[in-house]
Amino acid sequence: MSIDYSKEFSVIEGKPTLAEINDLIARPTETRPDRGYYIALTITLSMLLIGIVCLGLTFYYGIGMWGNNQPVGWGFGIVNFVFWVGIGHAGTLISAILFLFRQKWRNGIARFSEGMTIFAVMTAGIFPLIHVGRPWLAAYLFPYPNEHGIWVNFISPLVWDVFAVSTYLTVSLIFWYVGLIPDLASLRDRTTGKIKKLIYSVFSLGWRHSNRHWHHYEMVYLVLAGFATPLVLSVHTIVSFDFAVSVLPGWHSTIFPPYFVAGAVFSGFAMVQNVLIVVRKIFHYEHIITIDTLEKMNKIILLTGSMVGYSYGMEFFIAWYSGNPVEQFVFINRAFGPYAWAYWIMVTCNVISPQLFWFKKIRRTIPVMFVIGVFVNVGMWFERFVIVVSSLSRDFLPSSWRYFTPTPVDLGILLGSFGFFFTWILLFIKTLPVVSIAEIKGVIEGSQIEHHAAEDSTSFRPRQQEGM
Amino acid sequence: MSFNQENLNYRIKEFPRSLNLLGWGLLALGVLLIVVSFFVDRTRSSFNILVSFMFLMSIGLGSLFLVALEYVAGAVWSTPIRRVSEFFSTILFVIPLLAIPLYFSMHEIFHWSHTEIVRQEPALSSKSPYLNVPFFVIRTLVCFAVWLLFYLLIVRNSEKQDKLKDQALTTRNIRFSAIFMPVFAITITLAAVDWMMSLEPHWFSTIFGVYYFAGTILAALASATIAVVFFIKRGYFTNLREDHLYSLGALLFAFVNFWAYIAFSQYLLIWYANLPEETTWFLLRWQGSWKIVSIALIVIHFVIPYFGLLSQPSKMNPGRLLFMSVWILFAHLFDLYWLIMPTFSRRGVVLGWMEFAFPIAAVGIVIILFTLKAKNTNIVPIGDPKLQRGLDFRL
């Protein structure tokens, strides 16, 4: 096996024409959903319904329906919140950071992951609301001069969360929509239905694919990418502050901010990889979302998984190194205490399973990578479970130690959150282009301008050497 | 006109004699002052050696990381300038030599090396399986050896490729570089904990390795940028464009922010929890005139480089980029000074001719090693298959 490094390989396989790209990506939005789609939608809606029933029970009887108990005040509500916010991290990483790093392979997966980000953050938003127990009072989390004179506590990370997550959702939404405008215009020009035409016309904002439009568009996109990049870091950093600013052993650790960010990207990539493996098969996008693209995603999963592993190791080492007996107890308790089962699921799924991606063959075998992707998300859910529950269930006072057991309502709400998320995903892939038509056209072989180095006026060539 | 082989076969490059003189002059002056300072104040000199030692380690190790990163990431734009980082990583050869005086003055520097004191303090004796002189020496020597091993593996292949033009060497280097990544993560963490965190043996912070990593990459990127601008001004890098400089500037800007992010995370979490076992470290840096240094660090290491590199033209103009790179390199030295010296002088800032003597020698060493290596090696990896793509790189 030898690779020619002197040539750049196209991220798209084959040489599809522009019209073919239009047809292929627009087809799902123009055809009637088939039977499989309805079956999938039935499943996700059923899951969502179970979640709604469980939420109804919670609202009617109160939070006593959950497994939370005296030392474990943060149960599934916070675990699920952190999990879903984490899933929502890959989107902005792919669309903003990889864009700034000029990674062309992102073009095939950016649109979907941006959409996924929005749905994941929406799902995540449910949990703090229900976790506070009185969701109807949540509006007071926004600092506004109200007649009750209620003002937020600005040094509470919960308030920072409100700002961080709502900013993130807003910017992600704008970023996603701005990226959609040229594609909506393409759909507008293709569609025959009157109502569809009206909707696409309104939302494409009069886009005419003119040179000037593109010029402004590229500028806006670059600026938005710059704005979105710090947000990738800030949101999960602030989620990590929810834990790390406390004085609870196992939560208070200075590595939490970058560790949470790495973990979030890790789980988000695994989710994007999983769903796209299915989507590319059903919609026949194999030459757009190529096996090379999936391999690159797997490399990022390996990288971020190893960062998470580094953080686990560092926490363990420093717990010993600190010489603090309480700190040491917490970590021994995690690995060998009553929650050892959860801890070892976490380590196996998060640290060990992605290491298989060191092998090229595994990086390029779809069934194996799919399974590893599922493992990663299971592991990342358990990571949050271990952090939240194991630290709380055995606090400073041994007489108050209690084991946390989730109730069926807890599990129902978790299931419902998956139903909510995947329902949105299903609606999305059938109503909007799941791959960016415009960006894919930009990376087809031959669409880029050829450069000639020496003829460029900006090169640092001294005048007298011109004839060389 | 493309970059063909004829105009690439320049093995010998004329460096200005003044550069060589400057290097040796700085080294001679530095060494002279160092010898005097060892007679004046041995402890203070030892701490100063540590600052410059870590500074050199940052440039050398960070540069090797940049080389490996290019291979792993499959980066193309940086291929024409990769040699610059390879030259800087030769510093790794002098790191073990510079550690020798530190090994001999461990009692002056490291509180935990006094076994009698450690035995009486339970908080320290619980760490003694890790913090003891023999294990420390073994650990640090293993780290040095591992870095040199990877230097030889990666850089030698890269140089071999100049003659052989063999693509298989790139494949091999990609493998070595991938293996180097986890090795690098572990060894740089050990280096940061051993040489700097253990100065205050009671204190601990899980992010400390990442903090040093952020500074290391900044130092390596800044050094690379300085050398690239120098080569451009000498007319050696005729085919480089503003696009390459922009990329370097953007990376510098990104890591300035990354450093600030890590430093802020560490500070905020310790300040917020307000646990005495952790706050001591920051309180020491808030004592007396150290307060000025702490505030200055934020300005020097973040505010000025942030605004200095924010705009697009500032990342493309060679002169401005050169200034900012020198500034960032100085900022990293200042950061190390802030990390290390408060342990020596707890009451307040200590700043005299001694604090300048050691960095002067360090800069001399960097210049000498760089020119020595650059004289006998192609300054562009002419056999690298990615070279032409790198030269054609356009934003």
Side-chain angles (χ1 to χ4, degrees), chain B residues 218-239:
Chain B
L218 270 179
L221 281 170
S223 318
T225 312
I226 293 169
V228 167
V229 174
F230 170 74
F231 280 166
I232 286 173
K233 292 210 163 149
R234 295 284 302 164
Y236 298 160
F237 275 170
T238 48
N239 289 53

PDB file of all heavy atoms in Angstrom, chain B residues 218-239:
ATOM      1  N   LEU B 218       3.635  27.804  22.032  1.00  0.00           N
ATOM      2  CA  LEU B 218       3.825  29.214  21.684  1.00  0.00           C
ATOM      3  C   LEU B 218       5.293  29.508  21.429  1.00  0.00           C
ATOM      4  O   LEU B 218       5.650  30.180  20.456  1.00  0.00           O
ATOM      5  CB  LEU B 218       3.321  30.103  22.819  1.00  0.00           C
ATOM      6  CG  LEU B 218       1.870  30.523  22.749  1.00  0.00           C
ATOM      7  CD1 LEU B 218       1.526  31.370  23.951  1.00  0.00           C
ATOM      8  CD2 LEU B 218       1.608  31.306  21.475  1.00  0.00           C
ATOM      9  N   ALA B 219       6.159  29.001  22.324  1.00  0.00           N
ATOM     10  CA  ALA B 219       7.592  29.260  22.159  1.00  0.00           C
ATOM     11  C   ALA B 219       8.099  28.672  20.853  1.00  0.00           C
ATOM     12  O   ALA B 219       8.859  29.320  20.114  1.00  0.00           O
ATOM     13  CB  ALA B 219       8.363  28.678  23.339  1.00  0.00           C
ATOM     14  N   ALA B 220       7.658  27.443  20.540  1.00  0.00           N
ATOM     15  CA  ALA B 220       8.130  26.798  19.310  1.00  0.00           C
ATOM     16  C   ALA B 220       7.619  27.534  18.075  1.00  0.00           C
ATOM     17  O   ALA B 220       8.361  27.732  17.106  1.00  0.00           O
ATOM     18  CB  ALA B 220       7.675  25.345  19.284  1.00  0.00           C
ATOM     19  N   LEU B 221       6.351  27.937  18.102  1.00  0.00           N
ATOM     20  CA  LEU B 221       5.792  28.651  16.953  1.00  0.00           C
ATOM     21  C   LEU B 221       6.473  30.007  16.773  1.00  0.00           C
ATOM     22  O   LEU B 221       6.785  30.410  15.648  1.00  0.00           O
ATOM     23  CB  LEU B 221       4.297  28.871  17.148  1.00  0.00           C
ATOM     24  CG  LEU B 221       3.372  27.695  16.855  1.00  0.00           C
ATOM     25  CD1 LEU B 221       1.969  28.023  17.324  1.00  0.00           C
ATOM     26  CD2 LEU B 221       3.350  27.369  15.375  1.00  0.00           C
ATOM     27  N   ALA B 222       6.721  30.686  17.887  1.00  0.00           N
ATOM     28  CA  ALA B 222       7.359  31.997  17.798  1.00  0.00           C
ATOM     29  C   ALA B 222       8.775  31.861  17.240  1.00  0.00           C
ATOM     30  O   ALA B 222       9.175  32.631  16.363  1.00  0.00           O
ATOM     31  CB  ALA B 222       7.375  32.656  19.173  1.00  0.00           C
ATOM     32  N   SER B 223       9.516  30.852  17.721  1.00  0.00           N
ATOM     33  CA  SER B 223      10.877  30.660  17.196  1.00  0.00           C
ATOM     34  C   SER B 223      10.835  30.367  15.706  1.00  0.00           C
ATOM     35  O   SER B 223      11.630  30.915  14.930  1.00  0.00           O
ATOM     36  CB  SER B 223      11.570  29.491  17.890  1.00  0.00           C
ATOM     37  OG  SER B 223      11.329  29.507  19.242  1.00  0.00           O
ATOM     38  N   ALA B 224       9.914  29.484  15.313  1.00  0.00           N
ATOM     39  CA  ALA B 224       9.821  29.141  13.894  1.00  0.00           C
ATOM     40  C   ALA B 224       9.522  30.390  13.067  1.00  0.00           C
ATOM     41  O   ALA B 224      10.122  30.600  12.008  1.00  0.00           O
ATOM     42  CB  ALA B 224       8.737  28.083  13.682  1.00  0.00           C
ATOM     43  N   THR B 225       8.612  31.221  13.573  1.00  0.00           N
ATOM     44  CA  THR B 225       8.249  32.422  12.812  1.00  0.00           C
ATOM     45  C   THR B 225       9.440  33.361  12.680  1.00  0.00           C
ATOM     46  O   THR B 225       9.681  33.920  11.609  1.00  0.00           O
ATOM     47  CB  THR B 225       7.081  33.151  13.509  1.00  0.00           C
ATOM     48  OG1 THR B 225       6.084  32.190  13.822  1.00  0.00           O
ATOM     49  CG2 THR B 225       6.509  34.216  12.626  1.00  0.00           C
ATOM     50  N   ILE B 226      10.198  33.518  13.767  1.00  0.00           N
ATOM     51  CA  ILE B 226      11.374  34.390  13.705  1.00  0.00           C
ATOM     52  C   ILE B 226      12.331  33.903  12.618  1.00  0.00           C
ATOM     53  O   ILE B 226      12.792  34.669  11.772  1.00  0.00           O
ATOM     54  CB  ILE B 226      12.089  34.432  15.074  1.00  0.00           C
ATOM     55  CG1 ILE B 226      11.193  35.125  16.106  1.00  0.00           C
ATOM     56  CG2 ILE B 226      13.432  35.149  14.961  1.00  0.00           C
ATOM     57  CD1 ILE B 226      11.684  34.975  17.528  1.00  0.00           C
ATOM     58  N   ALA B 227      12.599  32.582  12.620  1.00  0.00           N
ATOM     59  CA  ALA B 227      13.551  32.043  11.649  1.00  0.00           C
ATOM     60  C   ALA B 227      13.013  32.172  10.228  1.00  0.00           C
ATOM     61  O   ALA B 227      13.771  32.478   9.296  1.00  0.00           O
ATOM     62  CB  ALA B 227      13.841  30.585  11.985  1.00  0.00           C
ATOM     63  N   VAL B 228      11.710  31.948  10.054  1.00  0.00           N
ATOM     64  CA  VAL B 228      11.137  32.031   8.708  1.00  0.00           C
ATOM     65  C   VAL B 228      11.269  33.464   8.180  1.00  0.00           C
ATOM     66  O   VAL B 228      11.673  33.681   7.034  1.00  0.00           O
ATOM     67  CB  VAL B 228       9.658  31.573   8.719  1.00  0.00           C
ATOM     68  CG1 VAL B 228       8.963  31.958   7.427  1.00  0.00           C
ATOM     69  CG2 VAL B 228       9.573  30.067   8.920  1.00  0.00           C
ATOM     70  N   VAL B 229      10.936  34.426   9.031  1.00  0.00           N
ATOM     71  CA  VAL B 229      11.043  35.820   8.584  1.00  0.00           C
ATOM     72  C   VAL B 229      12.496  36.158   8.266  1.00  0.00           C
ATOM     73  O   VAL B 229      12.791  36.826   7.276  1.00  0.00           O
ATOM     74  CB  VAL B 229      10.456  36.773   9.654  1.00  0.00           C
ATOM     75  CG1 VAL B 229      10.710  38.224   9.264  1.00  0.00           C
ATOM     76  CG2 VAL B 229       8.975  36.537   9.814  1.00  0.00           C
ATOM     77  N   PHE B 230      13.414  35.655   9.088  1.00  0.00           N
ATOM     78  CA  PHE B 230      14.843  35.889   8.836  1.00  0.00           C
ATOM     79  C   PHE B 230      15.243  35.321   7.478  1.00  0.00           C
ATOM     80  O   PHE B 230      15.915  35.987   6.677  1.00  0.00           O
ATOM     81  CB  PHE B 230      15.659  35.242   9.967  1.00  0.00           C
ATOM     82  CG  PHE B 230      17.129  35.204   9.724  1.00  0.00           C
ATOM     83  CD1 PHE B 230      17.899  36.362   9.823  1.00  0.00           C
ATOM     84  CD2 PHE B 230      17.757  34.011   9.397  1.00  0.00           C
ATOM     85  CE1 PHE B 230      19.259  36.326   9.597  1.00  0.00           C
ATOM     86  CE2 PHE B 230      19.121  33.975   9.167  1.00  0.00           C
ATOM     87  CZ  PHE B 230      19.878  35.133   9.273  1.00  0.00           C
ATOM     88  N   PHE B 231      14.817  34.096   7.188  1.00  0.00           N
ATOM     89  CA  PHE B 231      15.153  33.465   5.907  1.00  0.00           C
ATOM     90  C   PHE B 231      14.537  34.220   4.736  1.00  0.00           C
ATOM     91  O   PHE B 231      15.136  34.349   3.673  1.00  0.00           O
ATOM     92  CB  PHE B 231      14.683  32.005   5.886  1.00  0.00           C
ATOM     93  CG  PHE B 231      15.619  31.065   6.602  1.00  0.00           C
ATOM     94  CD1 PHE B 231      15.214  29.782   6.930  1.00  0.00           C
ATOM     95  CD2 PHE B 231      16.909  31.448   6.940  1.00  0.00           C
ATOM     96  CE1 PHE B 231      16.077  28.910   7.577  1.00  0.00           C
ATOM     97  CE2 PHE B 231      17.769  30.589   7.592  1.00  0.00           C
ATOM     98  CZ  PHE B 231      17.352  29.312   7.911  1.00  0.00           C
ATOM     99  N   ILE B 232      13.320  34.705   4.948  1.00  0.00           N
ATOM    100  CA  ILE B 232      12.674  35.473   3.870  1.00  0.00           C
ATOM    101  C   ILE B 232      13.481  36.731   3.599  1.00  0.00           C
ATOM    102  O   ILE B 232      13.768  37.078   2.452  1.00  0.00           O
ATOM    103  CB  ILE B 232      11.225  35.821   4.257  1.00  0.00           C
ATOM    104  CG1 ILE B 232      10.349  34.582   4.151  1.00  0.00           C
ATOM    105  CG2 ILE B 232      10.685  36.925   3.363  1.00  0.00           C
ATOM    106  CD1 ILE B 232       8.959  34.770   4.670  1.00  0.00           C
ATOM    107  N   LYS B 233      13.901  37.410   4.671  1.00  0.00           N
ATOM    108  CA  LYS B 233      14.646  38.661   4.489  1.00  0.00           C
ATOM    109  C   LYS B 233      15.990  38.408   3.836  1.00  0.00           C
ATOM    110  O   LYS B 233      16.503  39.235   3.090  1.00  0.00           O
ATOM    111  CB  LYS B 233      14.835  39.342   5.841  1.00  0.00           C
ATOM    112  CG  LYS B 233      13.498  39.820   6.376  1.00  0.00           C
ATOM    113  CD  LYS B 233      13.630  41.057   7.234  1.00  0.00           C
ATOM    114  CE  LYS B 233      12.264  41.693   7.377  1.00  0.00           C
ATOM    115  NZ  LYS B 233      12.075  42.381   8.633  1.00  0.00           N
ATOM    116  N   ARG B 234      16.591  37.232   4.106  1.00  0.00           N
ATOM    117  CA  ARG B 234      17.860  36.898   3.466  1.00  0.00           C
ATOM    118  C   ARG B 234      17.656  36.465   2.015  1.00  0.00           C
ATOM    119  O   ARG B 234      18.631  36.255   1.300  1.00  0.00           O
ATOM    120  CB  ARG B 234      18.550  35.745   4.213  1.00  0.00           C
ATOM    121  CG  ARG B 234      18.970  36.058   5.615  1.00  0.00           C
ATOM    122  CD  ARG B 234      20.212  36.913   5.682  1.00  0.00           C
ATOM    123  NE  ARG B 234      21.338  36.281   5.015  1.00  0.00           N
ATOM    124  CZ  ARG B 234      22.457  36.915   4.660  1.00  0.00           C
ATOM    125  NH1 ARG B 234      22.562  38.205   4.878  1.00  0.00           N
ATOM    126  NH2 ARG B 234      23.437  36.269   4.086  1.00  0.00           N
ATOM    127  N   GLY B 235      16.397  36.229   1.646  1.00  0.00           N
ATOM    128  CA  GLY B 235      16.134  35.810   0.272  1.00  0.00           C
ATOM    129  C   GLY B 235      16.279  34.319   0.054  1.00  0.00           C
ATOM    130  O   GLY B 235      16.481  33.859  -1.063  1.00  0.00           O
ATOM    131  N   TYR B 236      16.203  33.518   1.108  1.00  0.00           N
ATOM    132  CA  TYR B 236      16.318  32.066   0.950  1.00  0.00           C
ATOM    133  C   TYR B 236      14.982  31.412   0.645  1.00  0.00           C
ATOM    134  O   TYR B 236      14.910  30.403  -0.018  1.00  0.00           O
ATOM    135  CB  TYR B 236      16.889  31.417   2.230  1.00  0.00           C
ATOM    136  CG  TYR B 236      18.281  31.862   2.590  1.00  0.00           C
ATOM    137  CD1 TYR B 236      18.756  31.697   3.873  1.00  0.00           C
ATOM    138  CD2 TYR B 236      19.115  32.430   1.635  1.00  0.00           C
ATOM    139  CE1 TYR B 236      20.032  32.092   4.212  1.00  0.00           C
ATOM    140  CE2 TYR B 236      20.388  32.841   1.968  1.00  0.00           C
ATOM    141  CZ  TYR B 236      20.843  32.677   3.264  1.00  0.00           C
ATOM    142  OH  TYR B 236      22.092  33.077   3.597  1.00  0.00           O
ATOM    143  N   PHE B 237      13.931  32.002   1.180  1.00  0.00           N
ATOM    144  CA  PHE B 237      12.602  31.413   1.001  1.00  0.00           C
ATOM    145  C   PHE B 237      11.856  32.207  -0.062  1.00  0.00           C
ATOM    146  O   PHE B 237      10.857  32.844   0.198  1.00  0.00           O
ATOM    147  CB  PHE B 237      11.820  31.484   2.314  1.00  0.00           C
ATOM    148  CG  PHE B 237      12.097  30.349   3.245  1.00  0.00           C
ATOM    149  CD1 PHE B 237      11.621  30.387   4.550  1.00  0.00           C
ATOM    150  CD2 PHE B 237      12.797  29.240   2.841  1.00  0.00           C
ATOM    151  CE1 PHE B 237      11.857  29.346   5.427  1.00  0.00           C
ATOM    152  CE2 PHE B 237      13.049  28.188   3.710  1.00  0.00           C
ATOM    153  CZ  PHE B 237      12.571  28.250   5.005  1.00  0.00           C
ATOM    154  N   THR B 238      12.368  32.157  -1.295  1.00  0.00           N
ATOM    155  CA  THR B 238      11.802  33.041  -2.298  1.00  0.00           C
ATOM    156  C   THR B 238      10.386  32.664  -2.677  1.00  0.00           C
ATOM    157  O   THR B 238       9.644  33.485  -3.186  1.00  0.00           O
ATOM    158  CB  THR B 238      12.668  33.035  -3.555  1.00  0.00           C
ATOM    159  OG1 THR B 238      12.927  31.680  -3.877  1.00  0.00           O
ATOM    160  CG2 THR B 238      13.948  33.772  -3.318  1.00  0.00           C
ATOM    161  N   ASN B 239      10.021  31.406  -2.495  1.00  0.00           N
ATOM    162  CA  ASN B 239       8.701  30.996  -2.962  1.00  0.00           C
ATOM    163  C   ASN B 239       7.633  30.992  -1.880  1.00  0.00           C
ATOM    164  O   ASN B 239       6.534  30.565  -2.121  1.00  0.00           O
ATOM    165  CB  ASN B 239       8.780  29.614  -3.599  1.00  0.00           C
ATOM    166  CG  ASN B 239       9.502  29.677  -4.915  1.00  0.00           C
ATOM    167  OD1 ASN B 239      10.614  30.187  -4.968  1.00  0.00           O
ATOM    168  ND2 ASN B 239       8.869  29.215  -5.966  1.00  0.00           N
TER     169      ASN B 239
END
